[in-house]
Amino acid sequence: MRVKGRAWVFGDAINTDLLAPGYAMTLPPKELAQHCLEAANPDFAREVRPGDVVVAGDNFGLGSSREQAAISLHTLGVGAVLARSFARIFYRNAINIGLPALSFDAVDEIADGAALDLDLAEGWLKRGGDTFALKPLPPHIRDLIAAGGLMAQLHEKMAKQRQAEGSDA
């Protein structure tokens, strides 16, 4: 599992209201995503490209349990989120929708706009000629992300089970 894209660097304590602002919560997901991180970087939602990587400091995703925070990043095509630490609920929401979220201590080594190449299975990040170690995602989490999230994985398993039951008849 590889992710390649530009770094979008943010600081500590990026909260769910920055990711999915309360005033826009009644909008459909694609429209809500257009407000993602606008208070921290007004250009983010307009300029982020599929595969780009959000890099942040401590306690990324703190605040409410709104899953729209992770959904907005995923909807915009963010390939992964690297942070020194995550709020528990945001981390779980991200993984559940298939958005890789990885703890990364060397966030200060990554500049905004840097070209990044991550290998989620092997556990490394390359930036230019530098390689940084990442804790690889466990196989069951990689499988969940590859399936497109928890619900997609569940539907896939149920379809296989129905198919196996049909072939036994």
Side-chain angles (χ1 to χ4, degrees), residues 35 44 74 93 126 130-131 146:
H35 299 280
F44 176 75
H74 194 263
N93 285 337
K126 290 185 180 181
D130 297 322
T131 301

Side-chain angles (χ1 to χ4, degrees), residues 7-123:
W8 290 84
V9 178
F10 297 92
D12 294 335
I14 298 297
N15 64 51
T16 55
D17 201 46
L18 288 171
L19 296 162
Y23 69 84
M25 291 298 291
T26 59
L27 297 173
K30 286 184 180 182
E31 291 178 39
L32 173 61
Q34 295 308 306
H35 299 280
C36 184
L37 291 165
E38 70 185 357
N41 181 338
D43 299 324
F44 176 75
R46 185 177 58 256
E47 295 182 11
V48 68
R49 295 188 301 240
D52 283 355
V53 178
V54 169
V55 180
D58 291 316
N59 210 13
F60 187 87
L62 78 148
S64 74
S65 61
R66 63 178 73 152
E67 63 191 17
Q68 293 91 338
I71 290 170
S72 289
L73 291 169
H74 194 263
T75 299
L76 291 170
V78 168
V81 179
L82 301 176
R84 197 173 292 115
S85 64
F86 290 92
R88 269 181 324 150
I89 294 173
F90 175 86
Y91 179 82
R92 193 65 236 168
N93 285 337
I95 297 300
N96 282 344
I97 63 159
L99 176 64
L102 296 100
S103 294
F104 180 60
D105 289 330
V107 294
D108 297 331
E109 299 291 324
I110 307 300
D112 203 40
L116 303 179
D117 181 4
L118 290 78
D119 190 303
L120 306 176
E122 296 290 324

Side-chain angles (χ1 to χ4, degrees), residues 1-3 79-82 86 91 94-95 98-103 118-124 134-146:
M1 300 183 85
R2 296 281 287 275
V3 174
V81 179
L82 301 176
F86 290 92
Y91 179 82
I95 297 300
L99 176 64
L102 296 100
S103 294
L118 290 78
D119 190 303
L120 306 176
E122 296 290 324
W124 52 258
L134 293 171
K135 183 177 179 184
L137 292 174
H140 71 284
I141 299 293
R142 291 195 312 263
D143 291 346
L144 193 149
I145 288 169

